[in-house]
Amino acid sequence: MSASMARPADAPRIAEVNAALADFSTRVAAQARMREQVEVCLVAFGSEVRVLDPVAGALVDAEHADPARDFVPVGQLEPPQLRADGYTALLPALDVALRLAAGRRRHLAEQRVPVLRPLVWLLTDGAPSDEHGRPLDAEELAPMAGRLRAVEAAGPPEDCVFLAIGVRGADRELLEVLAPRGTLMLEGVNFTEILKFLVRSSVRVGRVTTSGEVHDEVAREAEERRALRELEVDLL
């Protein structure tokens, strides 16, 4: 993860990311249906893009990533302890994530395994940079944003749902360039409920949930959690 995630010194953002990964793997794996249907591939990025090799239990260069190997059932996921260093190669990381998601879907389809629409989560402080560390602006993010919208609008087996999740201090406006309807702040995210909704919608006879409907459901869930937190504060 990028060096910006190490700030502020007394409460680094990278700690929030590590906590979120641990919470995700624990909560989702605790659901029997999730253990059966959800598998995960972890892509980390700082100055370089790396992918978690579940066999080695370590992050490896993305050039060696293999969609047939690097996805693991959520119950077997052991998130590494991420460190903050380098720049923020966000765009190359998204390229790798989309490539691996599509590759895994093709691999499973060849084996005649039923596949749900992939869900690509970006967890970041929203400070992308180029290979020299220069911050990128909205115009430079636009081509990737267009690609993400095209993938979300595509039909099976090419489509996915993309969510951008910002940690404390993230530039939400910049993230919304990439995910106009799918940007959330980490404190408002319930990973388990999002996945439950995707699984429920996938088993309805004759029903195909669009990416827009997923975004609407996620936004509704986030708003309910925000309202509940405010109520709890008022009652204290």
Side-chain angles (χ1 to χ4, degrees), residues 24-25 28-29 34-36 38-40 72-77:
F24 167 81
S25 60
V28 177
M34 297 294 102
R35 288 198 304 271
E36 295 174 357
V38 175
E39 58 179 21
V40 181
V72 61
V74 69
Q76 300 174 25
L77 177 65

Side-chain angles (χ1 to χ4, degrees), residues 79-93:
Q81 195 72 12
L82 300 176
R83 296 178 299 173
D85 56 21
Y87 304 138
T88 309
L90 186 153
L91 295 183

Side-chain angles (χ1 to χ4, degrees), residues 11-61:
R13 298 166 188 162
I14 190 65
E16 296 181 39
V17 175
N18 282 316
L21 285 174
D23 181 68
F24 167 81
S25 60
T26 300
R27 289 179 180 272
V28 177
Q31 306 287 323
R33 197 171 191 178
M34 297 294 102
R35 288 198 304 271
E36 295 174 357
Q37 296 186 287
V38 175
E39 58 179 21
V40 181
C41 178
L42 178 63
V43 179
F45 57 96
S47 295
E48 300 176 347
V49 180
R50 296 174 293 169
V51 177
L52 178 64
D53 181 335
V55 176
L59 294 168
V60 301
D61 191 290

